[in-house]
Amino acid sequence: MDRVHKGYLQHNDISPGNVLLHFPEDKVSEVYIGVCDWGLASRVCETTPSRYGYPTAEARTAAFKERGTFVAPELWYTYGKPNSETSYETLRRRHLYTQAADAYSVGVVANMIWDNEDDFDLFKDAAGKARFAVALKELTNPDPKNRSTLQLVHATLRAPPYNFQIPECCYRKHI
């Protein structure tokens, strides 16, 4: 997703159902991660409104329980009466998809994937695992102004002690 953001694109729908994991049989220590369902993707320069506006707090809460954990908090809103300061049309222009919202979703999914990981080769020690958890947690800061970027977290994870490698290609290269 860091590469996507560097290309001034955003996915706008990161969730576990849109993340593909491939474990090559001939490389048991490797995993390739892909992202699918680009139907809601947009360019950064576009103003793509959130689709998480609801007419009542109850409807918003019900929707949040169903899907909310993967959606950045700033995308949720309850709208009011037409032609008011809280009308649907007014609020949807204030709640736009951003790369920060994508970063939040990536952070939630990454935390789910790595939460119980205890691989010594990956973390080296408890302190390494804690630093790794902090780097991922910074993506899920509820305040988008204080949320880390995918670029910064990616740079952190590529540096020592992690030294994660960027895959050379998608796992479908040979298909």
Side-chain angles (χ1 to χ4, degrees), residues 105-143:
S105 300
V106 168
V108 171
V109 173
N111 277 305
M112 290 176 65
I113 292 170
W114 295 103
D115 186 42
N116 293 317
E117 183 63 56
D118 285 323
D119 187 336
F120 178 77
D121 290 333
L122 176 63
F123 298 117
K124 310 296 185 229
D125 56 29
K129 183 174 181 177
R131 288 189 302 270
F132 184 86
V134 167
L136 292 182
K137 189 73 175 162
E138 289 174 353
L139 290 174
T140 58
N141 186 317
D143 182 352

Side-chain angles (χ1 to χ4, degrees), residues 4-165:
V4 170
H5 283 190
K6 285 179 181 173
Y8 302 103
L9 299 171
Q10 52 205 33
H11 187 276
N12 301 335
D13 193 24
I14 298 292
S15 68
N18 290 339
V19 175
L20 307 171
L21 301 177
H22 174 69
F23 302 90
E25 290 181 24
D26 60 331
K27 299 177 183 176
V28 294
S29 65
E30 294 186 16
V31 60
Y32 293 92
I33 301 172
V35 179
C36 64
D37 192 0
W38 291 85
L40 295 175
S42 63
R43 294 180 299 162
V44 171
C45 63
E46 297 173 339
T47 54
T48 306
S50 166
R51 64 182 198 277
Y52 295 101
Y54 294 90
T56 66
E58 293 81 16
R60 187 187 72 216
T61 300
F64 181 82
K65 286 180 181 177
E66 181 180 320
R67 178 149 173 92
T69 57
F70 310 110
V71 178
E74 65 269 20
L75 295 176
W76 294 91
Y77 62 96
T78 302
Y79 55 86
K81 296 178 182 177
N83 302 317
S84 71
E85 277 296 311
T86 60
S87 73
Y88 175 73
E89 287 303 319
T90 300
L91 289 183
R92 73 188 299 254
R93 287 191 299 267
R94 293 183 191 160
H95 296 268
L96 303 176
Y97 284 104
T98 63
Q99 288 187 340
D102 258 6
Y104 181 91
S105 300
V106 168
V108 171
V109 173
N111 277 305
M112 290 176 65
I113 292 170
W114 295 103
D115 186 42
N116 293 317
E117 183 63 56
D118 285 323
D119 187 336
F120 178 77
D121 290 333
L122 176 63
F123 298 117
K124 310 296 185 229
D125 56 29
K129 183 174 181 177
R131 288 189 302 270
F132 184 86
V134 167
L136 292 182
K137 189 73 175 162
E138 289 174 353
L139 290 174
T140 58
N141 186 317
D143 182 352
K145 293 176 183 156
N146 294 321
R147 190 174 299 146
S148 189
T149 65
L150 290 175
Q151 185 175 7
L152 181 59
V153 170
H154 186 248
T156 299
L157 297 178
R158 288 193 59 220
Y162 312 108
N163 300 317
F164 282 177
Q165 299 299 310

